[in-house]
Amino acid sequence: MPESTKRDFLTLHDLSRSELLALLERGRRLKAGVDGGPLLAGRSLAMIFRKSSTRTRVSFEVGMAQLGGHGVFLSDTTSQMGRGESVHDTAHVLSGYVDGIMIRTFEQEEVETLARHARVPVINGLTDRVHPCQLLADLQTMTEEFGDDLSDCPVAWIGDGNNMAHSWLNAAAILGFELRIACPEGYDPDPGIVEAARRSTRVVLTRDPGEAARGARVVTTDVWASMGQEEEAQARMAAFAGFQVDEALMASAADDAIFLHCLPAHRGEEVSAGVIDGHRSRVFQEAENRLHAQKALLLLLMGAATPPSSTTESPS
Ligand code: CP
Ligand code: NVA
């Protein structure tokens, strides 16, 4: 694929508002079975996992298979990346074999470097900074509940100002819904991402989960210690006391409010069992939507307008 025509998905801001809405609509159609088929026949996606995954791996691999293509799993222990082969070389080599690369890693910079050197689209499957694929599924779930116009759907983020919080900020900025973020001191989201979002929508930062949740139509949270922060887990447990999404907090949200969580979840820590297993929870619908929304993304980046990679092309 000529470098000039390839598109990457490194953050949600790689999509315009209209592209994002069209993608969510296509995700709903794929889910309903009124679209799809072997639209990526003969195409391959390399999937680099430098961190663990259940949903991201399975949804991308199955998504490619359902579209007639193929997903190739790579990890540090099973590839040369774990033995120090550079991102630059990996990008060049994989570009000769596959039509797209998905990567889950630590540094956003690594994903950007990969995208700069790859001749095929690069998809961010989570970094320490953002998790844009998850937001595609979360937003699809919101549109299934509330319709296409989400501008009247205040969202409450309770807990860590982490990669998920950053992607919620990006989503709020693109779609124009209000985002209230309640974090303990020392765990706020990146001020630059907050300021950028505030140029497009209302963002409230508070230390009070109750203030954030009041009247919200979505209440969402995430683990208190993300991948790579395992050594901080004890300290974080203490810092986040009082930030659990429980029944009392959900009761202060809007009457039609739903609960979302990207999963995996820790019942009894960031969310009570009663909430995540209760009638307002949409977490399994949300997890399933990873498949449908990402199939729409794969079609946008690797679909008919882009020729499949030549099987005769040299990887060098
Ligand atoms: N939500 C999410 O990305 O899940 P995995 O870590 O299982 O991929
Ligand atoms: N914030 C979490 C999300 C996992 C899907 C992490 O980075 O581990």
Side-chain angles (χ1 to χ4, degrees):
M1 188 184 301
E3 210 166 333
S4 57
T5 64
K6 76 134 175 163
R7 287 193 63 180
D8 302 309
F9 183 62
L10 309 189
T11 83
L12 272 185
H13 282 299
D14 285 323
L15 298 178
S16 67
R17 176 187 158 81
S18 59
E19 285 173 327
L20 178 56
L21 289 171
L23 187 152
L24 298 175
E25 208 254 322
R26 190 161 204 190
R28 294 194 301 270
R29 277 192 283 126
L30 288 160
K31 186 174 185 177
V34 294
D35 193 356
L39 298 169
L40 294 182
R43 298 183 196 220
S44 301
L45 177 75
M47 308 183 302
I48 302 171
F49 283 94
R50 312 198 76 173
K51 289 176 173 172
S52 302
S53 170
T54 298
R55 281 145 287 270
T56 305
R57 184 206 170 153
V58 177
S59 55
F60 269 112
E61 192 164 333
V62 170
M64 283 301 292
Q66 289 182 358
L67 293 168
H70 183 62
V72 182
F73 176 78
L74 295 161
S75 70
D76 273 10
T77 48
T78 58
S79 79
Q80 299 290 7
M81 288 191 85
R83 297 179 61 247
E85 184 164 16
S86 72
V87 175
H88 168 279
D89 286 356
T90 303
H92 282 283
V93 170
L94 292 179
S95 296
Y97 299 145
V98 299
D99 304 281
I101 304 171
M102 189 239 81
I103 179 166
R104 165 170 289 195
T105 190
F106 295 85
E107 299 289 328
Q108 183 74 9
E109 202 180 20
E110 184 172 295
V111 178
E112 288 165 6
T113 305
L114 185 75
R116 230 176 9 258
H117 294 288
R119 301 189 300 279
V120 296
V122 170
I123 296 171
N124 183 348
L126 179 146
T127 60
D128 292 345
R129 190 161 178 85
V130 285
H131 193 3
C133 291
Q134 181 66 50
L135 258 289
L136 298 181
D138 296 6
L139 295 171
Q140 181 172 330
T141 309
M142 282 178 71
T143 62
E144 288 169 349
E145 293 289 328
F146 303 121
D148 237 0
D149 181 6
L150 299 180
S151 59
D152 193 25
C153 290
V155 174
W157 174 267
I158 313 293
D160 193 13
N162 64 8
N163 45 7
M164 279 297 303
H166 292 159
S167 281
W168 273 107
L169 280 159
N170 290 342
I174 296 169
L175 295 182
F177 55 82
E178 180 179 331
L179 183 61
R180 299 95 167 260
I181 299 179
C183 306
E185 197 173 349
Y187 296 94
D188 288 332
D190 180 277
I193 298 180
V194 173
E195 281 321 304
R198 278 184 168 150
R199 287 199 281 274
S200 304
T201 196
R202 182 171 148 83
V203 177
V204 176
L205 286 187
T206 172
R207 305 267 172 250
D208 177 4
E211 181 189 347
R214 200 168 304 124
R217 297 182 84 189
V218 175
V219 180
T220 184
T221 185
D222 189 10
V223 291
W224 290 338
S226 286
M227 290 181 277
Q229 298 172 334
E230 289 77 8
E231 285 172 11
E232 299 173 33
Q234 281 310 316
R236 284 172 168 267
M237 193 87 87
F240 286 91
F243 282 78
Q244 183 183 93
V245 178
D246 60 12
E247 288 83 338
L249 196 68
M250 283 306 294
S252 69
D255 288 344
D256 63 353
I258 60 170
F259 173 75
L260 297 179
H261 189 310
C262 63
L263 305 179
H266 294 114
R267 287 168 174 76
E269 294 182 22
E270 76 274 7
V271 60
S272 69
V275 167
I276 195 168
D277 299 320
H279 70 284
R280 290 171 181 250
S281 177
R282 298 292 182 274
V283 297
F284 297 122
Q285 178 182 335
E286 177 187 10
E288 182 190 324
N289 284 341
R290 293 293 302 274
L291 173 67
H292 309 299
Q294 286 162 199
K295 281 168 71 178
L297 176 69
L298 291 166
L299 288 167
L300 177 69
L301 301 184
M302 293 163 56
T306 58
S309 63
S310 165
T311 48
T312 57
E313 190 180 352
S314 159
S316 60

